[in-house]
Coordinates of all heavy atoms in Angstrom, one line a residue:
M1 N -130.6 -47.6 -102.9 CA -129.8 -48.8 -102.6 C -128.8 -48.3 -101.5 O -128.1 -47.3 -101.7 CB -129.1 -49.3 -103.8 CG -128.3 -50.5 -103.7 SD -127.4 -51.1 -105.1 CE -128.6 -51.3 -106.3
D2 N -128.7 -49.1 -100.4 CA -127.7 -48.7 -99.4 C -126.3 -49.1 -99.8 O -126.1 -49.8 -100.8 CB -128.1 -49.3 -98.1 CG -128.0 -50.8 -98.0 OD1 -127.7 -51.5 -99.0 OD2 -128.2 -51.4 -96.9
A3 N -125.3 -48.7 -99.1 CA -123.9 -49.0 -99.4 C -123.6 -50.5 -99.5 O -122.9 -50.9 -100.4 CB -123.0 -48.3 -98.4
K4 N -124.1 -51.2 -98.6 CA -123.9 -52.7 -98.6 C -124.4 -53.3 -99.8 O -123.8 -54.2 -100.4 CB -124.4 -53.3 -97.3 CG -124.0 -54.7 -97.1 CD -124.5 -55.2 -95.7 CE -123.9 -56.6 -95.4 NZ -124.3 -57.0 -94.1
A5 N -125.6 -53.0 -100.2 CA -126.3 -53.5 -101.4 C -125.5 -53.1 -102.7 O -125.4 -53.9 -103.6 CB -127.7 -53.1 -101.5
A6 N -125.1 -51.8 -102.7 CA -124.3 -51.3 -103.8 C -123.0 -52.1 -104.0 O -122.6 -52.5 -105.1 CB -124.1 -49.8 -103.7
K7 N -122.3 -52.4 -102.9 CA -121.1 -53.1 -102.9 C -121.3 -54.5 -103.4 O -120.6 -55.0 -104.3 CB -120.5 -53.2 -101.4 CG -119.3 -54.0 -101.3 CD -118.8 -54.1 -99.9 CE -117.7 -55.1 -99.7 NZ -117.2 -55.2 -98.3
K8 N -122.4 -55.2 -102.9 CA -122.7 -56.5 -103.3 C -123.0 -56.6 -104.8 O -122.5 -57.4 -105.6 CB -123.9 -57.1 -102.5 CG -124.2 -58.5 -102.8 CD -125.3 -59.0 -101.9 CE -125.6 -60.5 -102.2 NZ -126.6 -61.0 -101.3
A9 N -123.8 -55.6 -105.3 CA -124.1 -55.5 -106.8 C -122.9 -55.3 -107.6 O -122.7 -55.9 -108.7 CB -125.1 -54.4 -107.0
H10 N -122.0 -54.4 -107.1 CA -120.8 -54.1 -107.9 C -119.9 -55.3 -108.0 O -119.3 -55.6 -109.0 CB -120.0 -52.9 -107.2 CG -118.9 -52.4 -107.9 ND1 -119.0 -51.7 -109.1 CD2 -117.5 -52.5 -107.7 CE1 -117.7 -51.4 -109.5 NE2 -116.9 -51.9 -108.7
I11 N -119.7 -56.0 -106.9 CA -118.9 -57.2 -106.8 C -119.5 -58.3 -107.7 O -118.8 -59.0 -108.4 CB -118.6 -57.7 -105.4 CG1 -117.7 -56.7 -104.6 CG2 -118.1 -59.1 -105.3 CD1 -117.6 -56.9 -103.2
G12 N -120.8 -58.4 -107.6 CA -121.5 -59.4 -108.5 C -121.2 -59.2 -110.0 O -121.0 -60.1 -110.7
K13 N -121.3 -57.9 -110.4 CA -121.1 -57.5 -111.8 C -119.7 -57.9 -112.2 O -119.5 -58.4 -113.3 CB -121.4 -56.0 -111.9 CG -121.2 -55.5 -113.3 CD -121.4 -54.0 -113.4 CE -121.0 -53.5 -114.8 NZ -121.1 -52.0 -114.8
M14 N -118.7 -57.5 -111.3 CA -117.3 -57.8 -111.6 C -117.0 -59.3 -111.7 O -116.3 -59.7 -112.5 CB -116.4 -57.1 -110.6 CG -116.6 -55.6 -110.7 SD -115.5 -54.7 -109.6 CE -114.0 -54.6 -110.6
A15 N -117.6 -60.0 -110.8 CA -117.4 -61.5 -110.8 C -118.0 -62.1 -112.0 O -117.3 -63.0 -112.6 CB -118.1 -62.1 -109.5
R16 N -119.1 -61.6 -112.5 CA -119.7 -62.2 -113.8 C -118.8 -61.8 -115.0 O -118.5 -62.6 -115.9 CB -121.1 -61.6 -114.0 CG -122.1 -62.3 -113.1 CD -123.5 -61.8 -113.5 NE -123.8 -60.4 -113.3 CZ -124.0 -59.8 -112.2 NH1 -124.1 -60.5 -111.1 NH2 -124.3 -58.5 -112.2
Q17 N -118.2 -60.6 -115.0 CA -117.3 -60.2 -116.0 C -116.0 -61.1 -116.0 O -115.6 -61.5 -117.0 CB -117.0 -58.7 -115.9 CG -116.1 -58.2 -117.1 CD -115.9 -56.7 -117.0 OE1 -116.0 -56.1 -115.9 NE2 -115.5 -56.2 -118.1
L18 N -115.5 -61.3 -114.8 CA -114.3 -62.1 -114.6 C -114.6 -63.6 -115.1 O -113.8 -64.2 -115.8 CB -113.9 -62.1 -113.2 CG -112.5 -62.6 -112.9 CD1 -111.4 -61.7 -113.6 CD2 -112.2 -62.5 -111.4
Q19 N -115.8 -64.1 -114.8 CA -116.2 -65.4 -115.2 C -116.2 -65.5 -116.8 O -115.7 -66.4 -117.4 CB -117.5 -65.8 -114.6 CG -117.9 -67.2 -114.9 CD -119.2 -67.6 -114.2 OE1 -120.1 -66.7 -113.9 NE2 -119.4 -68.8 -114.0
G20 N -116.7 -64.4 -117.4 CA -116.7 -64.4 -118.8 C -115.3 -64.4 -119.4 O -115.1 -65.0 -120.4
W21 N -114.4 -63.6 -118.8 CA -113.1 -63.6 -119.2 C -112.4 -65.0 -119.1 O -111.6 -65.4 -119.9 CB -112.3 -62.5 -118.5 CG -112.5 -61.1 -119.0 CD1 -113.0 -60.8 -120.2 CD2 -112.3 -59.9 -118.3 NE1 -113.1 -59.4 -120.3 CE2 -112.7 -58.9 -119.1 CE3 -111.9 -59.7 -117.0 CZ2 -112.6 -57.5 -118.7 CZ3 -111.8 -58.3 -116.6 CH2 -112.2 -57.3 -117.4
G22 N -112.8 -65.7 -118.0 CA -112.2 -67.0 -117.8 C -112.6 -67.9 -119.0 O -111.8 -68.7 -119.5
A23 N -113.9 -67.8 -119.4 CA -114.4 -68.6 -120.6 C -113.6 -68.2 -121.8 O -113.3 -69.1 -122.6 CB -115.9 -68.4 -120.8
K24 N -113.3 -66.9 -122.0 CA -112.5 -66.5 -123.2 C -111.1 -67.1 -123.1 O -110.6 -67.5 -124.2 CB -112.5 -65.0 -123.3 CG -113.8 -64.4 -123.7 CD -113.7 -62.9 -123.8 CE -115.0 -62.2 -124.2 NZ -114.9 -60.8 -124.4
I25 N -110.5 -67.1 -122.0 CA -109.2 -67.7 -121.8 C -109.3 -69.2 -122.2 O -108.4 -69.7 -123.0 CB -108.7 -67.6 -120.4 CG1 -108.3 -66.1 -120.1 CG2 -107.4 -68.4 -120.2 CD1 -108.0 -65.8 -118.6
D26 N -110.3 -69.9 -121.8 CA -110.5 -71.3 -122.2 C -110.6 -71.4 -123.7 O -110.0 -72.3 -124.3 CB -111.7 -71.9 -121.5 CG -111.5 -72.1 -120.0 OD1 -110.4 -72.1 -119.6 OD2 -112.6 -72.2 -119.4
D27 N -111.3 -70.5 -124.4 CA -111.4 -70.5 -125.8 C -110.1 -70.3 -126.5 O -109.7 -70.9 -127.5 CB -112.4 -69.4 -126.3 CG -113.8 -69.7 -126.0 OD1 -114.2 -70.9 -125.6 OD2 -114.7 -68.8 -126.0
F28 N -109.3 -69.3 -126.0 CA -108.0 -69.1 -126.5 C -107.1 -70.3 -126.4 O -106.3 -70.6 -127.3 CB -107.3 -67.9 -125.9 CG -107.9 -66.5 -126.3 CD1 -108.1 -65.6 -125.3 CD2 -108.1 -66.2 -127.6 CE1 -108.6 -64.3 -125.7 CE2 -108.6 -65.0 -128.0 CZ -108.9 -64.0 -127.0
M29 N -107.2 -71.0 -125.3 CA -106.4 -72.2 -125.0 C -106.8 -73.3 -126.0 O -105.9 -74.0 -126.5 CB -106.5 -72.6 -123.6 CG -105.9 -71.7 -122.6 SD -106.2 -72.1 -120.8 CE -105.7 -73.8 -120.7
A30 N -108.1 -73.4 -126.3 CA -108.5 -74.4 -127.3 C -108.0 -74.1 -128.7 O -107.5 -75.0 -129.4 CB -110.0 -74.5 -127.3
K31 N -108.0 -72.8 -129.0 CA -107.5 -72.4 -130.3 C -106.0 -72.6 -130.4 O -105.5 -73.0 -131.5 CB -107.8 -70.9 -130.6 CG -109.2 -70.6 -130.9 CD -109.4 -69.1 -131.0 CE -110.9 -68.8 -131.2 NZ -111.2 -67.3 -131.3
A32 N -105.3 -72.4 -129.3 CA -103.9 -72.6 -129.3 C -103.5 -74.1 -129.5 O -102.6 -74.4 -130.2 CB -103.3 -72.1 -128.0
E33 N -104.3 -74.9 -128.9 CA -104.1 -76.4 -129.1 C -104.3 -76.8 -130.5 O -103.6 -77.8 -131.0 CB -105.0 -77.2 -128.2 CG -104.6 -77.0 -126.7 CD -103.1 -77.5 -126.4 OE1 -102.7 -78.5 -126.9 OE2 -102.5 -76.7 -125.7
K34 N -105.2 -76.2 -131.3 CA -105.4 -76.5 -132.6 C -104.5 -75.9 -133.6 O -104.4 -76.3 -134.8 CB -106.9 -76.1 -133.0 CG -107.9 -76.9 -132.3 CD -109.3 -76.5 -132.6 CE -110.4 -77.2 -131.8 NZ -111.7 -76.7 -132.1
A35 N -103.7 -74.9 -133.2 CA -102.8 -74.2 -134.1 C -101.5 -75.0 -134.3 O -101.2 -75.9 -133.6 CB -102.5 -72.8 -133.4
G36 N -100.8 -74.5 -135.3 CA -99.5 -75.2 -135.6 C -98.5 -74.9 -134.4 O -98.8 -74.0 -133.6
A37 N -97.4 -75.6 -134.4 CA -96.5 -75.5 -133.3 C -95.9 -74.1 -133.1 O -95.9 -73.6 -131.9 CB -95.3 -76.4 -133.5
E38 N -95.6 -73.4 -134.1 CA -95.0 -72.0 -134.0 C -96.1 -71.0 -133.5 O -95.8 -70.3 -132.5 CB -94.5 -71.5 -135.3 CG -93.7 -70.2 -135.2 CD -93.1 -69.8 -136.6 OE1 -92.5 -70.7 -137.2 OE2 -93.2 -68.6 -136.9
T39 N -97.3 -71.1 -134.0 CA -98.4 -70.3 -133.6 C -98.8 -70.6 -132.1 O -99.0 -69.7 -131.3 CB -99.6 -70.4 -134.5 OG1 -99.2 -70.1 -135.8 CG2 -100.7 -69.5 -134.1
R40 N -98.8 -71.9 -131.8 CA -99.1 -72.4 -130.5 C -98.2 -71.8 -129.5 O -98.6 -71.3 -128.4 CB -99.1 -73.9 -130.5 CG -99.6 -74.5 -129.2 CD -99.6 -76.0 -129.2 NE -99.0 -76.4 -130.5 CZ -99.3 -77.6 -131.1 NH1 -100.2 -78.4 -130.6 NH2 -98.8 -77.9 -132.2
N41 N -96.9 -71.8 -129.8 CA -95.9 -71.2 -128.8 C -96.2 -69.7 -128.6 O -96.1 -69.2 -127.4 CB -94.5 -71.4 -129.3 CG -94.1 -72.9 -129.2 OD1 -94.7 -73.6 -128.4 ND2 -93.1 -73.3 -130.0
G42 N -96.5 -69.0 -129.6 CA -96.8 -67.5 -129.5 C -98.1 -67.4 -128.6 O -98.2 -66.5 -127.8
Y43 N -99.1 -68.2 -128.9 CA -100.3 -68.1 -128.1 C -100.1 -68.4 -126.7 O -100.6 -67.8 -125.8 CB -101.3 -69.2 -128.6 CG -102.3 -68.7 -129.6 CD1 -102.7 -69.4 -130.8 CD2 -103.0 -67.5 -129.4 CE1 -103.6 -69.0 -131.7 CE2 -104.0 -67.0 -130.4 CZ -104.2 -67.8 -131.5 OH -105.2 -67.4 -132.4
R44 N -99.2 -69.5 -126.4 CA -99.0 -69.9 -125.0 C -98.4 -68.7 -124.2 O -98.8 -68.5 -123.0 CB -98.1 -71.1 -125.0 CG -98.9 -72.4 -125.3 CD -98.1 -73.6 -124.9 NE -98.9 -74.8 -125.2 CZ -98.4 -75.9 -125.7 NH1 -97.1 -76.0 -126.0 NH2 -99.2 -76.9 -126.0
E45 N -97.4 -68.0 -124.8 CA -96.8 -66.9 -124.0 C -97.9 -65.9 -123.7 O -97.9 -65.3 -122.6 CB -95.7 -66.3 -124.9 CG -94.5 -67.1 -125.0 CD -93.4 -66.6 -125.9 OE1 -93.6 -65.4 -126.3 OE2 -92.5 -67.3 -126.3
Q46 N -98.7 -65.6 -124.7 CA -99.8 -64.6 -124.5 C -100.8 -65.1 -123.5 O -101.3 -64.3 -122.6 CB -100.4 -64.2 -125.8 CG -99.5 -63.4 -126.7 CD -100.1 -63.1 -128.0 OE1 -100.9 -63.8 -128.6 NE2 -99.8 -61.9 -128.6
I47 N -101.2 -66.3 -123.6 CA -102.2 -66.9 -122.7 C -101.6 -66.9 -121.3 O -102.3 -66.7 -120.3 CB -102.6 -68.3 -123.2 CG1 -103.5 -68.2 -124.4 CG2 -103.4 -69.0 -122.1 CD1 -103.8 -69.5 -125.1
D48 N -100.3 -67.3 -121.1 CA -99.7 -67.2 -119.8 C -99.8 -65.8 -119.2 O -100.1 -65.7 -118.0 CB -98.2 -67.7 -119.8 CG -98.1 -69.2 -120.1 OD1 -99.1 -69.9 -119.9 OD2 -97.0 -69.6 -120.4
E49 N -99.5 -64.8 -120.0 CA -99.7 -63.4 -119.5 C -101.1 -63.1 -119.1 O -101.4 -62.5 -118.1 CB -99.2 -62.5 -120.6 CG -99.3 -61.0 -120.1 CD -98.9 -60.0 -121.2 OE1 -98.5 -60.4 -122.3 OE2 -98.9 -58.8 -120.9
L50 N -102.0 -63.6 -119.9 CA -103.4 -63.4 -119.7 C -103.9 -64.1 -118.4 O -104.6 -63.5 -117.6 CB -104.2 -63.9 -120.9 CG -105.7 -63.5 -121.1 CD1 -105.8 -62.0 -121.1 CD2 -106.2 -64.1 -122.4
K51 N -103.4 -65.3 -118.2 CA -103.8 -66.0 -117.0 C -103.2 -65.3 -115.7 O -103.9 -65.2 -114.7 CB -103.2 -67.4 -117.0 CG -104.0 -68.4 -117.9 CD -103.3 -69.8 -117.8 CE -104.0 -70.8 -118.5 NZ -103.3 -72.1 -118.4
A52 N -102.0 -64.8 -115.8 CA -101.4 -64.1 -114.7 C -102.3 -62.8 -114.4 O -102.6 -62.6 -113.2 CB -100.0 -63.7 -115.0
K53 N -102.7 -62.1 -115.4 CA -103.5 -60.9 -115.2 C -104.9 -61.3 -114.6 O -105.4 -60.6 -113.8 CB -103.7 -60.1 -116.5 CG -102.4 -59.7 -117.1 CD -101.8 -58.5 -116.4 CE -100.5 -58.1 -117.2 NZ -100.0 -56.9 -116.9
Y54 N -105.4 -62.4 -115.1 CA -106.7 -62.9 -114.7 C -106.6 -63.2 -113.2 O -107.5 -62.8 -112.4 CB -107.1 -64.1 -115.5 CG -108.4 -64.8 -115.0 CD1 -109.6 -64.4 -115.5 CD2 -108.3 -65.9 -114.1 CE1 -110.8 -65.0 -115.0 CE2 -109.5 -66.5 -113.7 CZ -110.7 -66.0 -114.1 OH -111.9 -66.6 -113.7
H55 N -105.6 -63.9 -112.8 CA -105.5 -64.3 -111.4 C -105.2 -63.1 -110.5 O -105.7 -63.0 -109.3 CB -104.4 -65.4 -111.2 CG -104.7 -66.7 -111.8 ND1 -105.8 -67.4 -111.3 CD2 -104.2 -67.4 -112.8 CE1 -105.9 -68.6 -112.0 NE2 -104.9 -68.6 -112.9
A56 N -104.5 -62.1 -111.0 CA -104.3 -60.9 -110.2 C -105.6 -60.2 -110.1 O -105.9 -59.6 -109.0 CB -103.3 -60.0 -111.0
A57 N -106.5 -60.1 -111.1 CA -107.8 -59.5 -111.0 C -108.7 -60.3 -110.0 O -109.4 -59.6 -109.2 CB -108.4 -59.4 -112.4
Q58 N -108.6 -61.6 -110.0 CA -109.4 -62.4 -109.1 C -109.0 -62.1 -107.7 O -109.8 -62.0 -106.8 CB -109.2 -63.9 -109.4 CG -110.0 -64.8 -108.5 CD -111.5 -64.6 -108.6 OE1 -112.0 -64.8 -109.6 NE2 -112.1 -64.3 -107.5
T59 N -107.7 -62.0 -107.4 CA -107.2 -61.7 -106.1 C -107.6 -60.3 -105.6 O -108.1 -60.2 -104.5 CB -105.6 -61.7 -106.1 OG1 -105.2 -63.1 -106.5 CG2 -105.0 -61.4 -104.7
K60 N -107.6 -59.4 -106.5 CA -108.1 -58.0 -106.2 C -109.6 -58.0 -105.9 O -110.0 -57.3 -105.0 CB -107.7 -57.0 -107.3 CG -106.3 -56.7 -107.4 CD -105.8 -55.9 -106.2 CE -104.3 -55.5 -106.4 NZ -103.8 -54.9 -105.2
L61 N -110.3 -58.8 -106.7 CA -111.8 -58.9 -106.4 C -112.0 -59.5 -105.1 O -112.9 -59.1 -104.3 CB -112.4 -59.6 -107.5 CG -114.0 -59.7 -107.5 CD1 -114.6 -58.4 -107.5 CD2 -114.5 -60.6 -108.6
D62 N -111.3 -60.5 -104.7 CA -111.4 -61.2 -103.4 C -111.1 -60.1 -102.3 O -111.8 -60.1 -101.3 CB -110.5 -62.4 -103.3 CG -110.9 -63.5 -104.2 OD1 -112.0 -63.5 -104.7 OD2 -110.0 -64.4 -104.4
E63 N -110.1 -59.3 -102.5 CA -109.7 -58.3 -101.5 C -110.9 -57.3 -101.4 O -111.2 -56.8 -100.3 CB -108.4 -57.6 -102.0 CG -107.2 -58.4 -101.8 CD -106.0 -57.6 -102.4 OE1 -106.0 -56.4 -102.6 OE2 -104.9 -58.3 -102.6
L64 N -111.4 -56.9 -102.5 CA -112.6 -56.0 -102.5 C -113.7 -56.5 -101.8 O -114.4 -55.8 -101.0 CB -113.0 -55.6 -104.0 CG -114.0 -54.5 -104.1 CD1 -113.5 -53.2 -103.6 CD2 -114.4 -54.4 -105.6
Q65 N -114.0 -57.8 -102.0 CA -115.1 -58.5 -101.3 C -114.9 -58.5 -99.8 O -115.9 -58.3 -99.0 CB -115.3 -59.9 -101.8 CG -116.6 -60.5 -101.6 CD -116.8 -61.7 -102.4 OE1 -115.9 -62.2 -103.1 NE2 -118.0 -62.3 -102.3
A66 N -113.7 -58.6 -99.4 CA -113.4 -58.7 -97.9 C -113.2 -57.3 -97.3 O -113.1 -57.2 -96.1 CB -112.1 -59.5 -97.7
A67 N -113.1 -56.2 -98.1 CA -112.8 -54.9 -97.6 C -114.0 -54.3 -96.8 O -115.1 -54.5 -97.2 CB -112.5 -54.0 -98.8
D68 N -113.6 -53.7 -95.7 CA -114.6 -53.0 -95.0 C -114.9 -51.6 -95.6 O -114.2 -51.2 -96.6 CB -114.2 -52.9 -93.5 CG -112.9 -52.1 -93.3 OD1 -112.4 -51.4 -94.2 OD2 -112.3 -52.2 -92.2
A69 N -115.8 -50.9 -95.1 CA -116.2 -49.6 -95.6 C -115.0 -48.6 -95.7 O -114.9 -47.8 -96.7 CB -117.3 -49.0 -94.8
E70 N -114.1 -48.7 -94.7 CA -113.0 -47.8 -94.7 C -112.0 -48.0 -95.8 O -111.4 -47.1 -96.3 CB -112.3 -47.8 -93.3 CG -113.1 -47.3 -92.2 CD -112.4 -47.5 -90.9 OE1 -111.2 -47.8 -90.9 OE2 -113.1 -47.3 -89.8
R71 N -111.8 -49.3 -96.2 CA -110.8 -49.7 -97.2 C -111.4 -49.8 -98.6 O -110.7 -49.9 -99.6 CB -110.2 -51.0 -96.8 CG -109.3 -50.9 -95.5 CD -108.5 -52.1 -95.3 NE -107.7 -52.5 -96.4 CZ -107.8 -53.7 -97.0 NH1 -108.6 -54.7 -96.5 NH2 -107.0 -54.0 -98.0
W72 N -112.7 -49.7 -98.7 CA -113.4 -50.0 -100.0 C -112.9 -49.1 -101.1 O -112.5 -49.7 -102.2 CB -114.9 -49.7 -99.8 CG -115.7 -49.7 -101.1 CD1 -116.1 -48.7 -101.8 CD2 -116.1 -50.9 -101.8 NE1 -116.8 -49.1 -102.9 CE2 -116.8 -50.4 -102.9 CE3 -116.0 -52.3 -101.6 CZ2 -117.4 -51.3 -103.9 CZ3 -116.6 -53.1 -102.5 CH2 -117.2 -52.6 -103.6
S73 N -112.7 -47.8 -100.9 CA -112.3 -47.0 -102.0 C -110.9 -47.3 -102.5 O -110.6 -47.3 -103.7 CB -112.4 -45.5 -101.6 OG -113.7 -45.1 -101.5
A74 N -110.0 -47.5 -101.5 CA -108.6 -47.8 -101.9 C -108.5 -49.2 -102.6 O -107.8 -49.3 -103.6 CB -107.7 -47.8 -100.6
V75 N -109.2 -50.2 -102.1 CA -109.1 -51.5 -102.7 C -109.8 -51.4 -104.1 O -109.4 -52.0 -105.1 CB -109.8 -52.5 -101.8 CG1 -109.8 -53.9 -102.5 CG2 -109.0 -52.6 -100.5
K76 N -110.9 -50.7 -104.2 CA -111.6 -50.5 -105.5 C -110.7 -50.0 -106.5 O -110.7 -50.4 -107.7 CB -112.9 -49.7 -105.3 CG -113.8 -49.6 -106.5 CD -115.0 -48.8 -106.2 CE -115.8 -48.6 -107.4 NZ -117.0 -47.7 -107.1
A77 N -109.9 -49.0 -106.2 CA -108.9 -48.5 -107.2 C -107.9 -49.5 -107.6 O -107.6 -49.6 -108.8 CB -108.2 -47.3 -106.5
G78 N -107.5 -50.4 -106.8 CA -106.6 -51.5 -107.1 C -107.3 -52.5 -108.1 O -106.7 -53.0 -109.0
V79 N -108.5 -52.7 -107.8 CA -109.3 -53.6 -108.7 C -109.5 -53.0 -110.0 O -109.3 -53.7 -111.1 CB -110.7 -53.9 -108.1 CG1 -111.6 -54.7 -109.0 CG2 -110.6 -54.7 -106.8
H80 N -109.7 -51.7 -110.1 CA -109.9 -51.0 -111.4 C -108.6 -51.2 -112.2 O -108.6 -51.4 -113.4 CB -110.3 -49.6 -111.2 CG -110.3 -48.8 -112.4 ND1 -111.4 -49.0 -113.3 CD2 -109.5 -47.9 -113.0 CE1 -111.2 -48.2 -114.4 NE2 -110.1 -47.5 -114.2
S81 N -107.5 -51.0 -111.5 CA -106.2 -51.1 -112.2 C -106.0 -52.5 -112.8 O -105.5 -52.7 -113.9 CB -105.1 -50.7 -111.2 OG -103.8 -50.9 -111.8
A82 N -106.3 -53.5 -112.0 CA -106.1 -54.9 -112.4 C -107.1 -55.2 -113.6 O -106.7 -55.9 -114.6 CB -106.4 -55.9 -111.3
W83 N -108.3 -54.6 -113.6 CA -109.2 -54.8 -114.7 C -108.7 -54.2 -115.9 O -108.8 -54.8 -117.0 CB -110.6 -54.1 -114.3 CG -111.7 -55.1 -114.1 CD1 -112.8 -55.1 -114.9 CD2 -111.8 -56.2 -113.2 NE1 -113.6 -56.2 -114.5 CE2 -113.0 -56.8 -113.4 CE3 -111.0 -56.7 -112.2 CZ2 -113.5 -57.9 -112.7 CZ3 -111.4 -57.8 -111.4 CH2 -112.7 -58.4 -111.7
V84 N -108.2 -53.0 -115.8 CA -107.7 -52.3 -117.0 C -106.5 -53.1 -117.6 O -106.4 -53.3 -118.9 CB -107.2 -50.8 -116.7 CG1 -106.4 -50.2 -117.8 CG2 -108.4 -50.0 -116.3
E85 N -105.6 -53.6 -116.8 CA -104.5 -54.4 -117.3 C -105.0 -55.7 -118.0 O -104.5 -56.1 -119.0 CB -103.6 -54.8 -116.2 CG -102.8 -53.6 -115.6 CD -101.8 -54.0 -114.5 OE1 -101.4 -55.2 -114.5 OE2 -101.5 -53.2 -113.7
L86 N -106.0 -56.3 -117.4 CA -106.6 -57.6 -118.0 C -107.2 -57.3 -119.3 O -107.0 -58.0 -120.3 CB -107.5 -58.2 -117.0 CG -108.2 -59.6 -117.4 CD1 -107.1 -60.6 -117.8 CD2 -109.1 -60.1 -116.3
E87 N -108.0 -56.2 -119.4 CA -108.7 -55.8 -120.6 C -107.6 -55.5 -121.7 O -107.8 -55.9 -122.9 CB -109.6 -54.6 -120.4 CG -110.8 -54.9 -119.7 CD -111.7 -53.7 -119.5 OE1 -111.2 -52.6 -119.2 OE2 -112.9 -53.9 -119.6
A88 N -106.6 -54.8 -121.4 CA -105.5 -54.5 -122.3 C -104.8 -55.7 -122.8 O -104.5 -55.8 -124.0 CB -104.5 -53.5 -121.7
T89 N -104.6 -56.7 -122.0 CA -104.0 -58.0 -122.4 C -104.9 -58.7 -123.4 O -104.5 -59.3 -124.3 CB -103.6 -58.8 -121.2 OG1 -102.8 -58.0 -120.3 CG2 -102.9 -60.1 -121.6
F90 N -106.2 -58.7 -123.1 CA -107.2 -59.4 -124.0 C -107.1 -58.7 -125.4 O -107.1 -59.3 -126.4 CB -108.6 -59.3 -123.4 CG -109.0 -60.5 -122.7 CD1 -109.2 -60.4 -121.3 CD2 -109.3 -61.7 -123.4 CE1 -109.6 -61.6 -120.6 CE2 -109.7 -62.8 -122.7 CZ -109.9 -62.8 -121.3
K91 N -107.1 -57.4 -125.4 CA -107.1 -56.6 -126.6 C -105.8 -56.9 -127.4 O -105.8 -57.1 -128.6 CB -107.2 -55.1 -126.4 CG -108.6 -54.7 -126.0 CD -108.7 -53.3 -125.7 CE -110.2 -52.9 -125.2 NZ -110.3 -51.6 -124.8
K92 N -104.7 -57.0 -126.7 CA -103.4 -57.4 -127.3 C -103.5 -58.7 -128.0 O -103.0 -58.9 -129.1 CB -102.3 -57.3 -126.3 CG -100.9 -57.4 -126.9 CD -99.8 -57.1 -125.9 CE -99.7 -58.3 -124.9 NZ -98.5 -58.1 -124.0
L93 N -104.1 -59.7 -127.3 CA -104.2 -61.0 -127.8 C -105.1 -61.1 -129.0 O -104.8 -61.8 -130.0 CB -104.7 -62.0 -126.7 CG -104.7 -63.5 -127.1 CD1 -103.4 -64.0 -127.4 CD2 -105.3 -64.3 -125.9
K94 N -106.2 -60.4 -129.0 CA -107.1 -60.4 -130.1 C -106.5 -59.6 -131.3 O -106.8 -59.9 -132.5 CB -108.4 -59.7 -129.7 CG -109.3 -60.5 -128.8 CD -110.5 -59.7 -128.5 CE -111.4 -60.5 -127.6 NZ -112.6 -59.8 -127.2
G95 N -105.7 -58.6 -131.0 CA -105.1 -57.8 -132.1 C -104.1 -58.5 -132.9 O -104.0 -58.4 -134.0

């Protein structure tokens, strides 16, 4: 697999993962709506944090997609960092 194909495959995998996380955010939002007022407020704060991390990860993925070969490694590191933060926020919400 050449570098261009590897980049496309990597971005595709990450986009699918991000899409899955978007669906999980929707599920959390639906649960929050069904919860009592106090629980709902706690969920909303966590969901707001989750959405912010999700949008940051989406922005980084967009940057990665636009990156040329010279910037790929540097941008990829930023994407990895955003992914780690988003995963940690999901775990915190589930925990």
Side-chain angles (χ1 to χ4, degrees):
M1 182 181 308
D2 68 356
K4 191 172 185 176
K7 176 182 172 183
K8 185 175 180 178
H10 186 71
I11 290 171
K13 178 182 173 185
M14 295 182 88
R16 286 187 299 278
Q17 185 176 20
L18 195 60
Q19 186 177 24
W21 283 336
K24 286 181 181 181
I25 291 171
D26 291 342
D27 289 344
F28 286 135
M29 289 172 57
K31 287 178 185 177
E33 289 302 315
K34 292 178 184 177
E38 189 174 314
T39 303
R40 186 178 4 210
N41 289 337
Y43 265 137
R44 282 194 179 142
E45 290 175 12
Q46 292 177 326
I47 289 170
D48 287 346
E49 180 183 359
L50 196 54
K51 283 181 176 180
K53 302 283 182 170
Y54 175 87
H55 290 298
Q58 179 65 58
T59 298
K60 289 293 184 183
L61 183 59
D62 292 343
E63 289 175 16
L64 185 64
Q65 199 164 7
D68 58 16
E70 291 177 14
R71 294 189 53 235
W72 171 260
S73 293
V75 175
K76 187 176 173 186
V79 171
H80 177 73
S81 176
W83 244 244
V84 168
E85 288 182 28
L86 183 56
E87 285 178 323
T89 304
F90 265 110
K91 288 178 183 175
K92 186 171 77 172
L93 184 60
K94 288 180 181 180

